């Protein structure tokens, strides 16, 4: 079995008058695009990533003025394909 991962949108944005179905369609478009050639969506995995902002942010965090770290989560779409 072969595997590939594709990063999904971090956050989905829809317009004020759009339904939530529009957000679902954004994911469906990614899945449809990546499923070409026999690839099948197996699951979506949330992956948290923490970034160290560096020395200055570390100094400010000592005084409660800033956080030294920034965390964001990515949704990874995992696809599989039989050899």
């Amino acid at each position: 079995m072969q595997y590939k991962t594709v990063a999904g949108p971090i956050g989905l944005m829809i317009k004020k008058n759009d339904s939530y179905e529009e957000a679902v369609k954004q994911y469906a478009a990614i899945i449809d695009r990546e499923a070409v050639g026999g690839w099948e969506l197996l699951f979506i995995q949330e992956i948290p990533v923490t970034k160290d902002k560096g020395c200055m942010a570390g100094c400010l965090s000592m005084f409660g003025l800033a956080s030294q770290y920034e965390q964001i989560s990515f949704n990874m779409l995992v696809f599989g394909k039989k050899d």
Side-chain angles (χ1 to χ4, degrees):
M1 184 94 155
Q2 298 177 47
Y3 298 94
K4 74 174 180 176
T5 58
V6 177
I10 294 171
L12 297 173
M13 175 84 61
I14 58 174
K15 295 179 183 167
K16 182 174 85 170
N17 294 325
D18 286 345
S19 70
Y20 290 105
E21 186 176 317
E22 292 302 316
V24 173
K25 286 180 183 178
Q26 291 179 39
Y27 259 95
I30 295 168
I31 293 167
D32 288 344
R33 181 184 72 229
E34 297 297 331
V36 173
W39 291 98
E40 178 181 342
L41 177 66
L42 301 177
F43 58 91
I44 299 174
Q45 178 69 47
E46 184 177 3
I47 307 291
V49 177
T50 302
K51 180 179 181 180
D52 187 337
K53 292 183 180 178
C55 183
M56 186 60 136
C59 292
L60 292 173
S61 70
M62 291 177 13
F63 300 104
L65 299 173
S67 172
Q68 182 177 355
Y69 301 101
E70 177 182 359
Q71 185 167 9
I72 192 164
S73 292
F74 291 89
N75 290 320
M76 298 301 293
L77 288 76
V78 181
F79 291 84
K81 177 170 135 176
K82 294 186 181 195
D83 290 335

